[in-house]
Amino acid sequence: MALVCRPMVQLSGMVFSLLGWVLSCLTTYLPQWKNLNLELNELEIWTMGLWQACVVQEEGGMQCKDFDSFLALPPELRISRILMFVSNGLGLLGLLFSGFGLDCLKIGERQQELKKRMLLLGGMLFWMSGITAIVPVSWVAHSTVQEFWDESIPDIVPRWDFGEALFIGWLAGFCLILGGFLLNCTLCSTEVLPSSVHLAVAELQDQCQHLETESRL
């Protein structure tokens, strides 16, 4: 990897990771995990999220009601709540660790090994955050498909369909994994960082000046 490209790849990884983390937080609180269109009343669309169920009317109004009990939710929604919180927490930690490990950050220039470890840890946290965001979204999508094609349910009963939050969650997981991959790829470079070169030159000049002073004495 070229020396000049390494900071750019790191910044790209941070941008993708930050975007994925924001989308993951957005997915957690959006009520559009499932959509239900009623053929008897096409003016209303019911939506369901991890926290509440809403009804959207054609006039533009929306009324939502929070779920009364966590234990009363279906298993996929209960587990999805937990996993999305874990994903958001891991993503936040990944931003903190990888941020301190960036080459463009002047903090810790003399501790390059520590910066590399923090960058590696941040990339791994982004990987785990992306996976824990994709799993609940895919689980809810799988259960929705199973219920949609369940032959034991009469045809007149309305079926739940994919909501917009599922697609946002998939995009969030992809961005987090891509961001972590880009950050970890920069660690494969064996090029010497510009800051390290400047430090080495400065130390060499100090040693030369010290030797000249001793020789004069």
Side-chain angles (χ1 to χ4, degrees):
M1 186 180 296
L3 182 63
V4 180
C5 294
R6 177 166 171 164
M8 296 300 298
V9 175
Q10 289 183 353
L11 291 178
S12 299
M14 286 296 295
V15 169
F16 277 111
S17 301
L18 178 60
L19 176 62
W21 180 72
V22 172
L23 292 177
S24 177
C25 295
L26 182 63
T27 302
T28 305
Y29 296 101
L30 279 178
Q32 289 88 10
W33 281 60
K34 292 182 179 183
N35 292 340
L36 181 66
N37 293 319
L38 299 177
E39 296 181 358
L40 298 178
N41 187 1
E42 297 181 355
L43 301 179
E44 292 183 350
I45 299 177
W46 289 79
T47 65
M48 179 184 295
L50 301 180
W51 306 96
Q52 58 188 357
C54 301
V55 55
V56 182
Q57 299 177 350
E58 189 179 11
E59 293 80 7
M62 175 184 289
Q63 295 180 353
C64 298
K65 183 179 184 301
D66 295 336
F67 296 128
D68 296 330
S69 175
F70 175 77
L71 299 178
L73 294 175
E76 64 271 16
L77 295 184
R78 293 201 305 266
I79 303 301
S80 295
R81 275 193 189 184
I82 299 174
L83 290 180
M84 291 306 297
F85 271 123
V86 172
S87 175
N88 298 338
L90 292 175
L92 180 59
L93 291 176
L95 289 172
L96 294 176
F97 281 105
S98 58
F100 285 108
L102 295 177
D103 294 341
C104 60
L105 194 66
K106 300 303 181 182
I107 300 177
E109 284 185 339
R110 296 180 179 273
Q111 298 177 338
Q112 291 299 321
E113 289 299 323
L114 178 60
K115 289 174 70 72
K116 287 182 179 180
R117 292 176 183 176
M118 296 183 70
L119 193 64
L120 176 62
L121 179 59
M124 294 176 63
L125 288 172
F126 285 137
W127 275 71
M128 292 186 291
S129 177
I131 293 174
T132 51
I134 291 177
V135 168
V137 173
S138 301
W139 188 4
V140 172
H142 176 69
S143 64
T144 303
V145 171
Q146 283 187 324
E147 294 174 359
F148 188 88
W149 297 106
D150 190 354
E151 297 180 354
S152 63
I153 301 177
D155 295 336
I156 61 174
V157 177
R159 310 295 177 95
W160 289 100
D161 200 354
F162 289 173
E164 294 82 357
L166 297 183
F167 300 99
I168 298 176
W170 279 318
L171 179 60
F174 172 77
C175 290
L176 286 167
I177 293 176
L178 178 60
F181 174 76
L182 291 175
L183 290 175
N184 288 340
C185 280
T186 60
L187 297 175
C188 300
S189 173
T190 57
E191 297 285 350
V192 181
L193 300 177
S195 58
S196 300
V197 173
H198 295 323
L199 289 174
V201 172
E203 291 178 357
L204 182 60
Q205 291 177 350
D206 292 339
Q207 291 178 0
C208 291
Q209 293 176 357
H210 182 67
L211 291 175
E212 290 178 359
T213 303
E214 289 183 348
S215 61
R216 291 176 183 176
L217 294 177

